[in-house]
Amino acid sequence: MSFITPYFTLPKFTYYKPDSISEALSLLKQHNGKARVLAGGVMLVNMMKERIALPEYVIDLKGIRELKGINVTESGVEIGSTVTASELQQSDIIKKFCQPLAKAASYMGDKILQNSVTIGGNISIGMPSTDGLPALMSMGALLEVRSADSARMLPSSDLVVNIGRTNLRSDEMITKIIVPNAAESRGTYVKFLNASEIAIATVAVSLMLVQKKLRIVVGAISAKPYYFDESSIGWRWDENIKENIKTVADAIGSNLKPISDAVAGSEYRREVSKILVARALKELFGGT
Amino acid sequence: MRTIAITVNGISREVTIEENELLLNVLRDKLGVTSVKAACWRGECGLCTVLLNGLPVKSCMTLAVEAEGKEVVTAEGLYTDERARKLQESFVEHGAMQCGFCTPAFVVTSHYVLSKNPEIDGDDLKKELSGVICRCGTYYQIYDAVMDARKHYRDKNI
């Protein structure tokens, strides 16, 4: 987080508030490269104040009903990209089927900002501090990415390229988040904050009961979250899980390359990550 | 430039704004609603919190055009609500302020929290109020004031 004194006014822009996804996408195409979509505004408005983002056109997505719902379908749980962090925490569907996401949403900003923060905005800015992305990656979520001329499914683990850089083109936006096989999964999300409430590390864990697949994601320690499953840590969830928690945490810790900065050193972030992995697994499976 | 209609504290207002103006500036400078305080300008302190269609939002993070056709309620607008008046009295009784700059935001936020759940207590209440910062550090008194005011929100007769 930078402490540059913000300008108290925003740069000039033209404001659009479309009613449908197709209208928003055609505006994005028409003003390709000069337009930004506005969802909750928590990131974009501050980036405009600091002149980090200088869009000539701002496309407000809050008037689009299609981007709002949380539904259970054949393909899994579908979440509209402008669903807010408060709505995620209150949704019975999310609480039941997407436990890591419900918990991650409770960490996004403070209680007031959570009425504004959207899941799409939280992940698509591409900041390492995102709570939404590790949770979605642990659940193997897919992102429906659309432009005026194309639509594709992007695995959530392929979204972020580097700090502030994503695989989204300037004429594309995330319209929907799909969590496959959500009904057969359970999981959790844990986070460690320092005294200034800056994340040292976050860990999301998700277990697919039918395929017996365990996914562990460690976030906030590098440009993009680290993803681990059985193949990457060489370990199966049903082999006396309770006794193996420390082994798994150590195996994950030795595979991390956390950054060092003024907030925390690399080794400290690694130790915290190991402890968080162990905490999350204990919460899920019990044991010591 | 465009003219938008906003209901502010129960009164329909028309105001001419620039598209890049923040709701905070429009409320304070154009509509004269000065209980909404400007402090950090980046969504951290919560002193500019207003209820937008019933939900607390930070008005320094909200464009004024986003409020078009919506209802804004600030501390001034709570005078019509008997429960909120009792809540404000509770702030006074408990001395829940030193300089008072954060008080309107705490009143608005705690009014929303108590209307939603008058049984709230402990860490849940502290978490719900975490979006507003008091630089004088009167958090204990604010907590006591809100805890004490819960009885008014349980009373269905008010």
Side-chain angles (χ1 to χ4, degrees):
Chain A
M1 187 65 71
S2 68
F3 290 96
I4 306 161
T5 309
Y7 298 75
F8 296 159
T9 56
L10 297 179
K12 288 250 180 236
F13 56 80
T14 306
Y15 174 86
Y16 293 112
K17 192 169 187 179
D19 303 321
S20 66
I21 294 177
S22 53
E23 201 185 332
L25 292 173
S26 64
L27 282 167
L28 259 182
K29 186 186 178 186
Q30 190 188 336
H31 303 298
N32 193 0
K34 296 175 185 169
R36 289 291 293 259
V37 291
L38 173 76
V42 174
M43 284 303 290
L44 184 63
V45 171
N46 272 354
M47 284 161 74
M48 288 197 289
K49 281 179 201 160
E50 292 180 0
R51 305 305 193 260
I52 297 168
L54 289 162
E56 289 174 41
Y57 303 90
V58 169
I59 303 165
D60 188 350
L61 303 179
K62 278 192 288 292
I64 304 176
R65 287 182 64 95
E66 305 156 79
L67 293 175
K68 267 283 162 204
I70 301 172
N71 299 300
V72 181
T73 66
E74 279 176 16
S75 48
V77 173
E78 296 191 354
I79 306 160
S81 57
T82 65
V83 169
T84 65
S86 298
E87 288 162 353
L88 287 173
Q89 290 170 77
Q90 286 156 11
S91 159
D92 291 331
I93 296 173
I94 301 296
K95 278 190 279 193
K96 197 167 168 205
F97 300 132
C98 308
Q99 292 153 350
L101 186 59
K103 280 193 87 176
S106 73
Y107 287 110
M108 294 174 185
D110 58 51
K111 278 284 159 187
I112 298 172
L113 286 178
Q114 283 169 14
N115 295 322
S116 304
V117 174
T118 64
I119 180 65
N122 184 264
I123 61 176
S124 63
I125 297 287
M127 295 310 279
S129 53
T130 167
D131 289 299
L133 193 58
L136 291 178
M137 281 170 65
S138 78
M139 297 185 297
L142 299 168
L143 312 174
E144 186 192 79
V145 176
R146 281 172 62 180
S147 73
D149 314 306
S150 67
R152 59 182 172 130
M153 286 302 219
L154 181 69
S156 51
S157 46
D158 293 345
L159 176 68
V160 175
V161 182
N162 207 334
I163 296 175
R165 283 191 52 219
T166 65
N167 264 322
L168 301 175
R169 294 197 314 265
S170 56
D171 65 336
E172 283 182 325
M173 67 175 189
I174 300 170
T175 48
K176 203 189 282 176
I177 292 145
I178 297 157
V179 183
N181 305 316
E184 295 94 30
S185 79
R186 60 197 180 97
T188 190
Y189 181 82
V190 290
K191 183 171 186 175
F192 184 80
L193 298 159
N194 72 1
S196 320
E197 301 218 326
I198 296 171
I200 303 296
T202 61
V203 169
V205 175
S206 204
L207 172 68
M208 309 299 291
L209 296 169
V210 172
Q211 297 136 304
K212 302 194 169 166
K213 205 171 174 183
L214 181 70
R215 300 192 188 96
I216 300 174
V217 179
V218 185
I221 58 165
S222 60
K224 51 191 282 188
Y226 281 87
Y227 175 91
F228 299 96
D229 57 18
E230 283 153 41
S231 57
S232 53
I233 47 180
W235 166 84
R236 288 181 63 79
W237 79 282
D238 50 352
E239 288 169 13
N240 296 324
I241 179 94
K242 289 182 189 178
E243 284 96 65
N244 284 330
I245 286 177
K246 196 180 177 303
T247 320
V248 176
D250 287 345
I252 286 176
S254 60
N255 278 299
L256 302 173
K257 289 191 186 68
I259 57 152
S260 273
D261 63 8
V263 175
S266 177
E267 279 310 304
Y268 179 58
R269 282 199 160 94
R270 186 197 312 280
E271 287 306 310
V272 170
S273 304
K274 277 157 65 173
I275 291 165
L276 288 185
V277 169
R279 267 187 208 169
L281 291 174
K282 274 178 213 164
E283 194 183 318
L284 216 52
F285 302 108
T288 49
Chain B
M1 291 281 250
R2 64 158 85 186
T3 302
I4 60 167
I6 321 182
T7 306
V8 180
N9 294 329
I11 301 165
S12 304
R13 306 281 293 266
E14 280 203 348
V15 60
T16 302
I17 57 156
E18 298 280 353
E19 291 181 327
N20 63 349
E21 267 185 296
L22 297 167
L23 180 59
L24 171 60
N25 293 96
V26 171
L27 285 172
R28 284 185 61 84
D29 302 340
K30 295 192 169 168
L31 297 169
V33 185
T34 52
S35 77
V36 186
K37 302 300 180 199
C40 78
W41 294 93
R42 50 180 302 131
E44 283 173 4
C45 75
L47 301 198
C48 62
T49 301
V50 300
L51 300 180
L52 186 63
N53 275 3
L55 273 185
V57 298
K58 298 188 177 180
S59 60
C60 76
M61 309 279 282
T62 310
L63 302 179
V65 283
E66 291 178 50
E68 183 168 13
K70 293 185 178 168
E71 191 183 0
V72 176
V73 173
T74 68
E76 287 96 336
L78 295 178
Y79 78 98
T80 51
D81 193 312
E82 179 69 23
R83 300 169 306 171
R85 281 215 299 274
K86 293 259 175 41
L87 171 66
Q88 292 179 36
E89 281 164 19
S90 182
F91 267 69
V92 176
E93 281 162 23
H94 287 271
M97 67 207 68
Q98 183 172 287
C99 77
F101 201 67
C102 68
T103 311
F106 267 112
V107 167
V108 167
T109 309
S110 45
H111 171 70
Y112 167 78
V113 171
L114 292 181
S115 313
K116 210 172 57 169
N117 177 14
E119 304 301 330
I120 192 163
D121 67 355
D123 285 347
D124 287 340
L125 176 56
K126 289 176 189 170
K127 200 180 259 181
E128 287 288 338
L129 296 179
S130 66
V132 191
I133 288 173
C134 167
R135 294 236 153 93
C136 306
T138 60
Y139 294 110
Y140 286 99
Q141 289 82 351
I142 291 167
Y143 178 82
D144 290 345
V146 179
M147 286 293 279
D148 203 14
R150 293 184 306 169
K151 56 179 183 269
H152 306 301
Y153 285 79
R154 290 188 199 120
D155 189 348
K156 296 280 185 285
N157 297 323
I158 292 182

